[in-house]
Amino acid sequence: MMLVDGDAGSTSDWDDRWNHIKKFLERSGPFMHPDFEPSTEALSGFRNIHVVDMDNIDVSNLNRQFLFRAKDVGRPKADVAADFINSRVPGCFCPSFYLYLEFHIIVCGLDSIVARRWMNGMLLSLLVYEDGVLDPSSIIPLIDGGTEGFKGNARVILPGMTACIDCTLELYPPQINFPMCTIASMPRLPEHCIEYVRILQWPKEMPFGDDMALDGDDPEHIQWVYQKSLERAAEFSITGVTYRLTQGVVKRIIPAVASTNAAIAAACATEVFKIASSAYLPLNNYMVFNDVDGLYTYTFEAERKENCSACSQVPSDLHFSPSSKLQEVLDYLTESTSLQMKSPAITTTMDGKNKTLYLQSVASIEQRTRPNLTKTLNELGLADGQELAVADVTTPQTVLFKLCFTS
Ligand SMILES: [Zn+2]
């Protein structure tokens, strides 16, 4: 993820350094934002780019990006990216630490939907409403890019104004796994054989001792899975099991294509330029890119969802019968395509006191609240219209739901 600050810092300019950008900012043209007035006063160049990443560089990162080299393996991603940008763009201040607020534009290049939703929720939490009216100065635009192989997308989100990540959650279907019957009895693909070893054989044989979970980053673990997968594949005359594929399946690695990343990164950078300079209309608001077969791209306007649980300010209704069990509510929160929560914690207020109905992340509380899952909503003393507050890793904010009893 990158956070970009449009503030111009110290000057270390040489003559004509910003000539190309000036052509966009000092001349008018057919694609200009209708309210923009070309001028020599306009912004010239980004100087403050904050790079945020908690991860270290792995050798598997090298094929799909431009900033890391073999010598950088093991170093923090943010440090190396910052060093690279600092040496590539003289005068660009690019620290790798960060303070959260005060950024003008945020660019996400994340590899998980949960992280996107969290960042989306964070920016929504910073919005200021006065008498229900959004204060536009509290909006921090979010530019999100993503790729998967030869496909990619770039989108511009104005939190509170345009469709947010959660408004379009149905666009990100839950990960599809191979059917268990295929894995167990009719494998046809090398992946089926690897999944067989990962899901069934590893827990049964525990090759590295009891309680040792399969670690995709441990070469000995991968080697074991690879060997067993080869045996399984040989039984069914399946070819194509390799060490690399084994690691890919175990770690759920999505293949990355550097040129797709470059196209999406360029689209994101262009949007940053347009928003920061106000010279051109930003992408409205979702661009699809696909060069699997030829090259295909189009833009559509993703629409806000009226009852979006993240950005609508309206508590969503949960329709359940009073005789439904709490487990059913929990299942709905995780399985509904519009919510897709990961480990929701449900609390409510009863007789003026907070009551935790179920919480998974702390073992002692999980144990204490687990019996609630098999109780009915009636038995738990919940009433029609009761508010349930749900916390989850998909958002930094608590999501409010209203319980609506069906008969
Ligand atoms: Zn939304």
Side-chain angles (χ1 to χ4, degrees), residues 319-350:
H319 295 274
F320 283 95
S321 134
S323 59
S324 302
K325 299 201 164 62
L326 187 65
Q327 178 72 54
E328 295 171 48
V329 177
L330 194 77
D331 290 346
Y332 175 77
L333 295 172
T334 54
E335 287 165 14
S336 143
T337 50
S338 62
L339 295 171
Q340 300 185 38
M341 292 186 167
K342 299 299 161 192
S343 56
I346 311 174
T347 56
T348 191
T349 315
M350 269 183 197

Side-chain angles (χ1 to χ4, degrees), residues 120 124 162-168 304-305 308-312:
N120 180 65
L124 288 167
T162 65
C164 81
I165 298 275
D166 283 57
C167 284
T168 57
R304 279 191 85 179
K305 207 170 107 185
C308 171
S309 62
C311 76
S312 72

Side-chain angles (χ1 to χ4, degrees), residues 157-177:
I157 294 169
L158 303 176
M161 287 189 56
T162 65
C164 81
I165 298 275
D166 283 57
C167 284
T168 57
L169 208 53
E170 279 101 332
L171 293 177
Y172 311 108
Q175 184 175 319
I176 296 164
N177 291 307

